[in-house]
Amino acid sequence: MSRNTLLNFLLLDSDDDDLEILTVIAMEEERLKSEREVVRHRGSVQGRRYIDCGTILGHERIFRDYFAEPPVYPPKYFRRRFRMIRSLFLRIQAAVEAHDPYFVQTRYVAGKLGLSSLQKMTAAICRHPNPDLEGSLSAPMMK
């Protein structure tokens, strides 16, 4: 029986019990309506503005540039940037994800997706250059 049919039935056959049932139904509808209208806070600080940093677009770009078939850049550019071949990078990524949950993509408290494992691995590898190479950032240059 639909809600309108029930309300019409109760209004047409009104005695004290039916009026009480109608009141209870109306109160329940108001309670449900107010629950739906309550805005639940999600995020770290209420009232702060969210700025989209383009993390999804960044992942898509790294994936398209180096990991898609065919990639935008050929394997020699991947090897130059990461100092390893792509298959080794992917094996390291899988091992690191299995070992450390930091490298697995999660959602922020606000419900937005965080950085992908490709982005985190790229940042970790590109910030820690090989100290054995001459002219690297971590090894002082001696002349």
Side-chain angles (χ1 to χ4, degrees), residues 15-131:
D15 58 1
D16 291 335
D17 291 336
D18 294 339
L19 188 57
E20 185 176 328
I21 292 172
L22 181 61
T23 304
V24 170
I25 290 173
M27 288 171 51
E28 182 66 17
E29 285 181 356
E30 284 296 318
R31 186 186 68 78
L32 290 173
K33 182 180 175 186
S34 66
E35 279 183 8
R36 278 184 244 126
E37 290 176 356
V38 171
V39 176
R40 292 195 166 65
H41 173 67
R42 293 183 71 179
S44 56
V45 179
Q46 191 169 4
R48 293 282 176 109
R49 211 176 70 199
Y50 173 75
I51 298 174
D52 184 15
C53 298
T55 56
I56 302 295
L57 295 174
H59 167 78
E60 289 173 357
R61 184 170 180 186
I62 289 173
F63 184 82
R64 184 180 60 244
D65 288 351
Y66 297 107
F67 299 97
E69 288 298 331
V72 172
Y73 298 108
K76 71 177 189 177
Y77 287 103
F78 183 92
R79 187 170 173 87
R80 182 188 303 166
R81 179 170 184 190
F82 295 101
R83 298 186 183 137
M84 65 183 82
I85 59 175
R86 186 170 67 170
S87 61
L88 177 61
F89 181 92
L90 293 174
R91 281 190 307 201
I92 292 171
Q93 178 192 9
V96 169
E97 281 181 349
H99 178 72
D100 190 352
Y102 168 77
F103 285 92
V104 177
Q105 185 177 28
T106 57
R107 290 191 179 272
Y108 296 133
V109 175
K112 304 290 184 186
L113 277 176
L115 295 174
S116 71
S117 62
L118 284 177
Q119 290 170 306
K120 292 175 184 181
M121 287 291 298
T122 301
I125 289 174
C126 290
R127 287 196 180 158
H128 298 288
N130 188 347

